[in-house]
Amino acid sequence: MTDNLNIVRHFLYQAGLSPEFIAIEDRDQSYSYKQLDQLVRNYTAYYDDLGLYKGTKVIVLHPPCVELFAAILALLSKGCAVVFVEEWSKISDITAACQTIQCDYIITGWKGKCIRLFNKTLRKLSLLNIHSVPKTENQSLSPVLMDDSSPAIISFSSGSSGASKAVVRTHGTLNAQFNALKNHIKLADTNRMCTNFPVVILLNLGLGICTVLS
């Protein structure tokens, strides 16, 4: 049987190992692994109710926040692919990204909602809420079986120096990055890194490094 390479398993391990460590700091609020784990479970229940499944593609046009990364962990645990486009990319590049990847859902802030009103491609995508998601008790969180080639994160460049390009990071790629770093980083509750890059934050959450959202 193939080992489950779902990248979310590293976060779950850290949440069990160090539940009181701070996972993410956002503005004046700090979220422990235990608190973030509960948020992820809330989103997992929400996505279960909506019927999201392995292979669903979700485009993100939302500023970084704790809720966003909890939602991303829940999506990846379900085997969904998360598509990132620079929030301030040209509308034509955002539209092209949706069409190229054939996205199903969108997580967006006010800008994306405004664009969506006048863009038929974005209007076809169902909105996923990342605020006011009901709290759930005893929600199981078992990452869906994924292999080396399963897409996890798809990032599009801003297109400022030419046509927007996509970079696909599979669960296998993210695991390889994690394994290359883990032996060089000592787990400590004082480790902190200021970043907004989703791939780096995923690695931080698996390695026990506190992320400070900038």
Side-chain angles (χ1 to χ4, degrees), residues 106-118:
I106 185 170
I107 295 174
T108 186
W110 65 268
K111 182 189 177 183
K113 289 178 180 178
C114 291
I115 296 173
R116 191 169 176 268
L117 291 174
F118 305 99

Side-chain angles (χ1 to χ4, degrees), residues 39-152:
L39 278 178
V40 175
R41 292 172 191 271
N42 295 346
Y43 284 108
T44 301
Y46 170 52
Y47 297 144
D48 283 346
D49 290 342
L50 290 177
L52 272 68
Y53 54 88
K54 181 177 179 178
T56 299
K57 301 178 186 69
V58 181
I59 190 167
V60 173
L61 291 170
H62 197 286
C65 62
V66 173
E67 292 84 0
L68 175 62
F69 288 104
I72 289 168
L73 285 166
L75 289 168
L76 292 175
S77 75
K78 291 185 66 63
C80 301
V82 184
V83 182
F84 288 93
V85 180
E86 291 283 347
E87 189 182 9
W88 302 107
S89 294
K90 293 180 289 186
I91 295 175
S92 58
D93 287 334
I94 295 173
T95 301
C98 288
Q99 294 172 335
T100 300
I101 304 300
Q102 297 184 343
C103 295
D104 306 294
Y105 290 86
I106 185 170
I107 295 174
T108 186
W110 65 268
K111 182 189 177 183
K113 289 178 180 178
C114 291
I115 296 173
R116 191 169 176 268
L117 291 174
F118 305 99
N119 187 292
K120 64 180 181 180
T121 298
L122 294 185
R123 281 201 305 273
K124 293 178 182 178
L125 307 182
S126 299
L127 281 170
L128 288 182
N129 181 35
I130 65 165
H131 299 289
S132 303
V133 173
K135 184 175 181 179
T136 184
E137 299 293 340
N138 302 318
Q139 169 68 28
S140 62
L141 185 53
S142 300
V144 169
L145 181 67
M146 307 300 277
D147 58 27
D148 270 335
S149 62
S150 302

